[in-house]
Amino acid sequence: MKPLYLELSGWGPYASVNKVDFTKFQTGELFLITGPTGAGKTTIFDGITYALYGEVSGKVRSKNSLRSDFALPETETYVILEFSHNKEFFRIERHPKYFRPKKRGEGFTVKREEAVLIMEDRTVVSGIANVNQKVCEILSVDYDQFKQLSMLAQGEFMDLLTTKSNQRADIFRSIFHTQIYQKVQVLAGEKAKNLKNKITALEYKMEEAADWLNHEEELAWILEQKNISEIMKSLEIEKKDISRQIQKIEQKLEKAERDIKDAEMFCNDIRGRIVRVQKMEQELEQLSLKEQHAGEEIQRMQQKKTQLENEFDKIQNMRERRLFLEDARQKAMEGRKLAKEKTQAEKQLQKQKQRCAAAKYQQWERYAKRQKEAEHQLNDAKKQLEKWKSNYQEADQQLILEKEKLIRMQSEFFAANVGVLAARLDEGMPCPVCGSFSHPKKAKIIKEAPRQQDVDQQQDVVAETEKIFQTYYQKTMEFQEKTSASEKLLEERTKEMFPEPEQGKNWGGKEKLDIEEEEEKYLEIQGKYALLCGRFDGLSKEVKAFIEREDEMQAEYEKLSCWIEQYEKETQELNCQLEQKMIVFTQTKALIEEKKIQDHLEKEQLPSESVISERENQKTELLREQKQLKYKKEQLIILNGHLQMTMKSLEEKSKKKEGLEQEYGIIGDVDQLLNGNNHLKLTLEQYVLISYFQDILRAANLRLRKMTNGRYEMFRQEYVSDGRKKDHLEIEVLDYYTGKKRSIRTLSGGESFKAALCLSLGLSDVIQSYAGGVRIDILFVDEGFGALDEESLNQAVDTLIQLAGEHRMIGIISHVEELKERIENQIVITKMKEGSHIQI
């Protein structure tokens, strides 16, 4: 990343727009940012970091207080940075959050923070989060890494040199993100502790699993064994013994079960017989009652049947009367139907008469419309005939004139040609017209005679005029024929017309009617109506009387039908019930006889009461013995189950403990190794930090030897002054003048600056190498050169020039006068009452 152009407006000490063109500085050279204290030298680097990441570099600066106190109200606060990276151009503009006067009214309003990034291909990325993410993707470093790679801040690289070992470890931890190794150490310790706790917990659980044996007198001896293996063997022996006892009890239970089953079968059989006898006696009693009730019902039904038979003649008369009424009702219905059809036919006849009138009126309307259409057609044809006849006459006159003009032009053209020929004739030459050799009177040349082209054009005009004449003639003849046809059509339409009908105009229907069809329908309905009238008039007086008394006959018919149906229903139901009762009575009587025989046989086969009592007592004793055996078996099964569970639990826990102990053997060793219990007395993170530290020292010594003329070289202190302090990142310096190593803190102020500068540059090199080859082609060194003598200052400048090489730009932020004389490229900051100003 190389800055090309920086623009600051209303920013920090800069009241107005200030611009820095970095393209004026050659790559590989130093440039000096100089000015009085507080003028805003470091603010230039702040502008670059804020443009890229929205952050500023100082410890006390805040990005919410970037607006210049010197800026006018209308001056905007922003920063614009143009830079190149990997041969691509980028432009970024940011506006910080600040308060500005309202454009309307009084008071202030908040200007929100904004960011816009323009890519090489003109793609625009907007929004603070989006721009921050895109810049990190482009440069492959975040804000902290960029600051570490591009800025050696005032006083901070001296802190790196002289700080204590544990503080230096904190610095390296934040730079190289070694917290992960510290987490690995913690995880290893926690893993080892968890495994140890699990092993201890398993041992407690194994003791608890076997503790119940103390409560069993017969098994307490097992716990006297020395180890788990012997306990497991003793439990296996006890388990087999219990299994044999259970087997013997099961054999006794099988025999008791058979004896109980035999006793139960005998007792159940006797009880079944007693129940069957009792049940048969109850059934006999119920059947006797049923037989008695059936006899009483039969007697009552026979009396009812006699009453119905006495009413048979009366019902027969009712049936005959109903037949007569049914016939009369049928004749009345037919007569009423005929009357209804006659009324409907009369209505249809009136309606059809109206339709005939409407059809007649519609026919008159159609004829009238056709007559008007014929008149319009005739008028249109006459108008067109007059039009085309007039055009034809005009075209005829025009054709005559154009033909006369053509004849005249042809005569003049031929005469002119003769004059030309005559002018060429001499005496004695034959005339091409008459062949004479004598030419007493030659034809003269006619002036202004038409040319052949004029004659041809006039011929075309005559042909076009004749074409138009023929067109007008054809149109005239066409409309002459149309006029004659229209006159004939109008004559036919006038003949078919008849006077407007008086009826049918206001007929409400929209249907189109045909007069012939409607009149035919009218005649058809009229004949039907006449036929119905004749049939109705021919009805007898009796039928007409039936029609008048139809409702009365209907009521009587329904009443008779109700009585007859009720009589028939009662007779049928009574006969059916009487038949069923007779069947039930007969079956019940036969069943009673059969049940009496069965009851007598069952009573004869029943044993005595003493036999039954003896078998019941035998069954009770067998059940008591069975219960005792089952209880003993259950206790043995429970004990056996406890033994199996204990053996299984001890076996599983023993295997699990063995596995945990094997795993702990590995994890425990790793924990001891990672957390400092090793021959180096180093944790994993300390080992990694020492590796980074030695790389930094190697890179720093490359410059320190040159800057001190080969006198000094920095080393990591190998021995530990106090094991509790963990000072594994202490620096000592080898003085080649004395050949001895001593603490870095014994160096003078100028020597310390050189060492600190080299250490910071070495740190920058290592960070850049571990960042995957990221190129940051700008480096700012902030102050610290005031303590150097002239030789040391020259050595520091030469080192920075060598560091710049061919690709890097290095800016020194300082107000040291010797640097102004030594470095030609300068950015001068002028500090004034109205704010600072940048000059290049």
Side-chain angles (χ1 to χ4, degrees):
M1 177 271 178
K2 182 181 293 183
L4 304 175
Y5 171 79
L6 177 67
E7 181 177 324
L8 301 171
S9 175
W11 187 276
Y14 303 107
S16 58
V17 177
N18 284 264
K19 304 175 181 179
V20 181
D21 187 359
F22 290 100
T23 59
K24 293 183 179 180
F25 306 137
Q26 296 294 325
T27 304
E29 294 184 355
L30 304 182
F31 64 91
L32 178 67
I33 302 176
T34 184
T37 302
K41 301 186 291 296
T42 309
T43 305
I44 293 177
F45 181 73
D46 288 341
I48 293 174
T49 59
Y50 184 79
L52 290 172
Y53 297 100
E55 299 288 347
V56 291
S57 64
K59 296 180 180 179
V60 297
R61 298 183 182 94
S62 170
K63 68 176 185 178
N64 293 327
S65 60
L66 296 176
R67 177 155 176 89
S68 175
D69 295 334
F70 303 103
L72 297 175
E74 61 271 14
T75 302
E76 290 190 27
T77 298
Y78 64 86
V79 58
I80 297 174
L81 175 66
E82 296 178 357
F83 65 93
S84 63
H85 185 72
N86 292 335
K87 298 182 180 181
E88 292 188 7
F89 174 81
F90 302 90
R91 185 178 190 274
I92 188 168
E93 179 176 347
R94 284 188 190 261
H95 295 253
K97 178 181 177 182
Y98 65 92
F99 289 92
R100 62 169 179 79
K102 292 182 178 180
K103 295 181 180 180
R104 296 180 181 177
E106 299 180 354
F108 291 83
T109 184
V110 177
K111 173 70 175 177
R112 296 185 180 275
E113 187 175 1
E114 298 175 353
V116 177
L117 171 65
I118 302 176
M119 312 284 286
E120 173 79 16
D121 58 358
R122 312 307 295 172
T123 301
V124 177
V125 180
S126 61
I128 297 169
N130 295 333
V131 172
N132 291 347
Q133 181 181 357
K134 195 64 181 179
V135 169
C136 291
E137 291 177 3
I138 294 170
L139 302 183
S140 299
V141 292
D142 58 18
Y143 164 70
D144 291 330
Q145 292 172 325
F146 178 81
K147 179 185 171 184
Q148 293 159 3
L149 293 173
S150 61
M151 178 56 139
L152 301 181
Q154 180 178 356
E156 292 182 4
F157 55 87
M158 287 297 295
D159 292 341
L160 181 64
L161 181 72
T162 60
T163 188
K164 295 181 179 179
S165 177
N166 58 343
Q167 295 174 338
R168 189 177 292 114
D170 293 336
I171 294 172
F172 288 166
R173 182 179 294 116
S174 65
I175 292 173
F176 296 109
H177 305 293
T178 60
Q179 296 90 339
I180 186 172
Y181 303 106
Q182 195 175 38
K183 290 180 180 179
V184 170
Q185 294 169 201
V186 174
L187 289 173
E190 291 177 352
K191 182 71 173 177
K193 184 178 179 181
N194 289 337
L195 287 172
K196 187 64 177 176
N197 291 338
K198 287 180 180 179
I199 292 171
T200 304
L202 275 175
E203 290 175 349
Y204 288 148
K205 289 181 179 179
M206 290 170 71
E207 293 176 1
E208 290 175 358
D211 185 62
W212 71 274
L213 296 173
N214 284 321
H215 304 288
E216 299 289 338
E217 295 180 0
E218 300 172 354
L219 303 177
W221 63 274
I222 297 176
L223 293 179
E224 296 175 2
Q225 306 300 319
K226 295 181 179 180
N227 53 48
I228 294 295
S229 177
E230 293 178 356
I231 291 174
M232 292 291 288
K233 289 180 181 178
S234 299
L235 289 173
E236 184 65 30
I237 293 170
E238 191 65 28
K239 178 185 170 185
K240 291 180 179 179
D241 184 57
I242 290 172
S243 297
R244 284 193 295 271
Q245 293 181 43
I246 292 173
Q247 188 175 4
K248 290 180 180 179
I249 291 173
E250 286 178 346
Q251 292 174 356
K252 292 180 180 180
L253 281 172
E254 287 178 2
K255 183 178 183 304
E257 184 71 27
R258 289 194 298 272
D259 294 341
I260 290 170
K261 189 176 290 185
D262 292 340
E264 280 184 347
M265 288 177 63
F266 177 80
C267 293
N268 290 338
D269 182 57
I270 299 303
R271 280 195 295 269
R273 292 180 183 182
I274 293 171
V275 169
R276 285 198 296 273
V277 170
Q278 293 173 349
K279 186 176 179 181
M280 278 191 287
E281 289 178 351
Q282 291 175 358
E283 289 178 355
L284 280 170
E285 185 176 354
Q286 291 175 359
L287 288 172
S288 298
L289 291 173
K290 186 177 180 181
E291 180 185 14
Q292 182 180 353
H293 291 157
E296 293 173 354
E297 284 291 323
I298 290 171
Q299 185 177 2
R300 184 183 60 78
M301 290 178 183
Q302 287 177 344
Q303 292 175 356
K304 181 67 175 176
K305 184 177 180 182
T306 302
Q307 292 176 1
L308 291 174
E309 289 175 351
N310 294 333
E311 295 177 358
F312 178 76
D313 294 338
K314 182 179 178 181
I315 294 300
Q316 191 65 24
N317 294 332
M318 288 181 182
R319 287 172 179 166
E320 292 177 358
R321 176 62 181 172
R322 189 175 65 171
L323 289 174
F324 171 77
L325 292 174
E326 186 175 358
D327 181 62
R329 282 175 58 246
Q330 185 66 31
K331 291 178 179 179
M333 287 173 61
E334 291 176 356
R336 190 174 68 255
K337 181 181 178 182
L338 185 61
K340 184 177 180 181
E341 290 177 355
K342 174 189 170 187
T343 303
Q344 290 177 349
E346 185 177 3
K347 290 179 180 178
Q348 289 178 354
L349 188 64
Q350 291 298 325
K351 184 177 180 182
Q352 188 61 30
K353 186 176 182 181
Q354 293 175 358
R355 288 175 63 89
C356 288
K360 189 69 174 176
Y361 191 84
Q362 287 181 3
Q363 185 183 37
W364 177 84
E365 286 179 332
R366 287 195 296 271
Y367 287 171
K369 183 178 180 182
R370 288 163 62 183
Q371 185 181 23
K372 287 182 181 179
E373 289 174 353
E375 290 175 354
H376 288 312
Q377 185 177 343
L378 178 59
N379 292 333
D380 291 342
K382 286 181 177 180
K383 288 179 182 178
Q384 291 293 327
L385 178 61
E386 290 298 327
K387 172 185 172 183
W388 290 109
K389 189 174 182 180
S390 174
N391 292 339
Y392 160 72
Q393 291 173 352
E394 290 176 1
D396 185 35
Q397 294 296 325
Q398 185 67 28
L399 180 61
I400 292 171
L401 293 175
E402 296 298 337
K403 284 183 177 180
E404 290 177 351
K405 184 178 178 180
L406 176 62
I407 293 170
R408 187 170 59 254
M409 289 177 69
Q410 287 176 340
S411 298
E412 291 176 357
F413 174 72
F414 292 147
N417 287 339
V418 171
V420 171
L421 291 174
R424 296 175 182 175
L425 287 177
D426 294 329
E427 288 295 330
M429 293 178 61
C431 177
V433 178
C434 61
S436 175
F437 290 93
S438 177
H439 314 291
K441 190 178 180 179
K442 296 180 181 180
K444 297 180 180 181
I445 297 176
I446 301 174
K447 295 180 179 181
E448 298 180 0
R451 298 170 297 171
Q452 181 65 45
Q453 183 180 358
D454 297 333
V455 175
D456 293 340
Q457 287 180 353
Q458 184 59 29
Q459 285 179 342
D460 293 340
V461 169
V462 170
E464 183 65 28
T465 305
E466 189 170 4
K467 185 177 179 181
I468 293 171
F469 169 77
Q470 291 296 331
T471 300
Y472 289 165
Y473 174 76
Q474 291 174 0
K475 285 289 184 179
T476 302
M477 296 307 294
E478 178 184 345
F479 280 98
Q480 181 78 37
E481 293 176 359
K482 285 185 177 180
T483 302
S484 299
S486 297
E487 288 175 347
K488 186 175 180 181
L489 179 63
L490 178 60
E491 184 179 355
E492 293 176 356
R493 294 290 183 259
T494 303
K495 287 181 180 180
E496 69 183 8
M497 277 300 294
F498 55 87
E500 181 180 0
E502 296 179 358
Q503 297 179 350
K505 182 177 182 180
N506 298 323
W507 184 62
K510 297 181 179 180
E511 182 183 359
K512 291 184 179 181
L513 305 175
D514 182 84
I515 184 62
E516 293 181 358
E517 291 181 1
E518 298 303 325
E519 288 180 348
E520 184 178 350
K521 287 182 180 178
Y522 178 80
L523 292 175
E524 181 183 349
I525 295 170
Q526 189 179 35
K528 181 180 178 181
Y529 175 70
L531 181 61
L532 289 172
C533 288
R535 288 176 59 192
F536 184 77
D537 292 341
L539 290 175
S540 63
K541 293 180 180 181
E542 183 184 16
V543 173
K544 291 180 179 179
F546 287 162
I547 294 173
E548 293 176 359
R549 295 178 58 244
E550 185 178 7
D551 294 338
E552 181 182 346
M553 289 190 299
Q554 178 66 26
E556 184 182 359
Y557 177 83
E558 291 177 355
K559 187 176 181 180
L560 292 173
S561 297
C562 182
W563 288 343
I564 293 169
E565 289 173 2
Q566 185 177 359
Y567 174 83
E568 291 176 347
K569 183 179 179 181
E570 288 181 1
T571 303
Q572 185 177 0
E573 290 178 353
L574 183 61
N575 291 332
C576 182
Q577 292 174 1
L578 182 59
E579 182 179 358
Q580 291 177 353
K581 285 295 179 181
M582 290 296 296
I583 294 172
V584 169
F585 180 79
T586 305
Q587 290 176 346
T588 303
K589 194 170 184 178
L591 192 58
I592 288 172
E593 295 299 327
E594 183 180 351
K595 290 291 183 182
K596 285 180 179 180
I597 296 171
Q598 291 178 358
D599 182 56
H600 178 71
L601 292 175
E602 287 289 343
K603 285 180 179 180
E604 286 183 348
Q605 294 176 1
L606 281 175
S608 63
E609 289 292 334
S610 60
V611 174
I612 295 173
S613 177
E614 182 182 353
R615 296 303 295 270
E616 286 288 348
N617 293 334
Q618 182 184 2
K619 176 186 171 185
T620 301
E621 183 63 25
L622 288 170
L623 288 172
R624 185 183 62 77
E625 182 183 352
Q626 183 189 45
K627 184 177 180 181
Q628 291 175 351
L629 290 171
K630 284 183 177 179
Y631 176 77
K632 189 174 182 181
K633 178 183 175 182
E634 288 173 359
Q635 294 301 313
L636 289 173
I637 289 172
I638 292 171
L639 182 61
N640 190 40
H642 285 171
L643 285 174
Q644 288 180 349
M645 289 174 60
T646 302
M647 292 173 65
K648 184 178 180 182
S649 177
L650 290 174
E651 185 177 0
E652 290 176 353
K653 289 177 174 59
S654 179
K655 289 181 180 179
K656 191 172 183 181
K657 180 185 174 185
E658 183 180 349
L660 289 173
E661 287 174 342
Q662 291 178 357
E663 187 178 357
Y664 178 75
I666 299 171
I667 298 297
D669 291 343
V670 172
D671 175 42
Q672 297 292 321
L673 179 65
L674 297 183
N675 284 289
N677 294 323
N678 51 64
H679 69 284
L680 297 175
K681 301 299 181 183
L682 294 175
T683 66
L684 175 62
E685 185 190 25
Q686 289 172 342
Y687 182 80
V688 174
L689 288 175
I690 288 172
S691 176
Y692 283 123
F693 188 43
Q694 289 176 336
D695 289 343
I696 293 168
L697 290 176
R698 279 194 291 271
N701 286 329
L702 294 175
R703 299 183 179 91
L704 182 62
R705 284 194 293 268
K706 184 175 181 181
M707 291 181 69
T708 60
N709 294 321
R711 180 178 180 181
Y712 293 114
E713 185 174 357
M714 290 181 287
F715 291 90
R716 183 182 72 85
Q717 183 175 304
E718 297 291 340
Y719 68 91
V720 180
S721 60
D722 188 346
R724 294 170 297 175
K725 292 184 178 180
K726 300 287 183 181
D727 49 353
H728 299 287
L729 298 181
E730 285 293 340
I731 303 174
E732 59 183 5
V733 63
L734 172 62
D735 188 346
Y736 283 100
Y737 287 5
T738 64
K740 296 181 179 180
K741 292 182 180 180
R742 52 191 170 94
S743 173
I744 196 71
R745 297 181 182 86
T746 63
L747 295 176
S748 66
E751 291 171 339
S752 295
F753 174 78
K754 292 178 184 179
L757 178 62
C758 293
L759 189 63
S760 297
L761 293 174
L763 175 62
S764 177
D765 291 343
V766 172
I767 292 172
Q768 189 155 305
S769 67
Y770 278 103
V774 174
R775 293 191 59 85
I776 303 297
D777 296 328
I778 183 70
L779 176 66
F780 290 88
V781 183
D782 191 359
E783 298 293 356
F785 293 88
L788 301 179
D789 56 23
E790 183 178 357
E791 181 182 1
S792 298
L793 182 64
N794 290 334
Q795 289 173 344
V797 171
D798 291 341
T799 300
L800 291 174
I801 291 174
Q802 184 179 3
L803 176 65
E806 297 181 357
H807 303 290
R808 184 178 291 184
M809 297 170 59
I810 297 181
I812 299 175
I813 302 173
S814 179
H815 56 272
V816 177
E817 292 297 328
E818 289 81 356
L819 289 175
K820 293 182 182 180
E821 297 173 1
R822 176 72 188 271
I823 300 174
E824 181 179 354
N825 299 320
Q826 296 183 10
I827 299 174
V828 181
I829 313 297
T830 305
K831 185 178 181 181
M832 296 178 289
K833 292 182 179 180
E834 61 274 11
S836 298
H837 183 68
I838 297 175
Q839 293 179 341
I840 299 179

